[in-house]
Amino acid sequence: MSIDPRVALGSLTAALEEHLVAASSRRGDEDPAVEAAFFAVADAFEAYADALYDAYGEDLPLDLLDSDDEDDDDDEDDSDDEDGDGEDEEADDGEDALAGRDF
């Protein structure tokens, strides 16, 4: 049985507030309180997302990223450079649209 989405939302809000407190009183780059608050936010977010979906079939418009996900993004090539010349094949810089027009 899943938890009530309102309860999960309250837990998420509390986790965000605790993260703000920890971040605002940070004691160095690797403050364990900030790290713990960070993971508490992630856990609370997942619990809320699951509760919302279980209760209403609704997804959140946000996703959590793992550190592995960030590394994968660097490897992806979203360009349309099919022939390797450094230019997107689908790119349209407007030159063709203006060709042959009298100004």
Side-chain angles (χ1 to χ4, degrees), residues 14-48:
L16 287 167
E17 289 174 352
E18 289 298 319
H19 185 268
L20 176 61
V21 169
S24 66
S25 61
R26 177 186 295 270
R27 297 177 305 263
D29 288 341
E30 295 183 19
D31 187 338
V34 175
E35 184 175 339
F38 174 90
F39 288 114
V41 169
D43 291 343
F45 178 86
E46 286 186 30
Y48 174 63

Side-chain angles (χ1 to χ4, degrees), residues 45-70:
F45 178 86
E46 286 186 30
Y48 174 63
D50 290 344
L52 186 66
Y53 187 81
D54 289 347
Y56 304 113
E58 187 65 32
D59 285 320
L60 289 171
L62 307 169
D63 286 321
L64 291 179
L65 293 177
D66 292 338
S67 60
D68 293 339
D69 291 342
E70 292 176 23

Side-chain angles (χ1 to χ4, degrees), residues 77 79-91:
D77 184 10
S79 71
D80 293 325
D81 182 14
E82 295 172 3
D83 59 6
D85 65 358
E87 295 181 15
D88 289 350
E89 305 308 315
E90 299 294 321

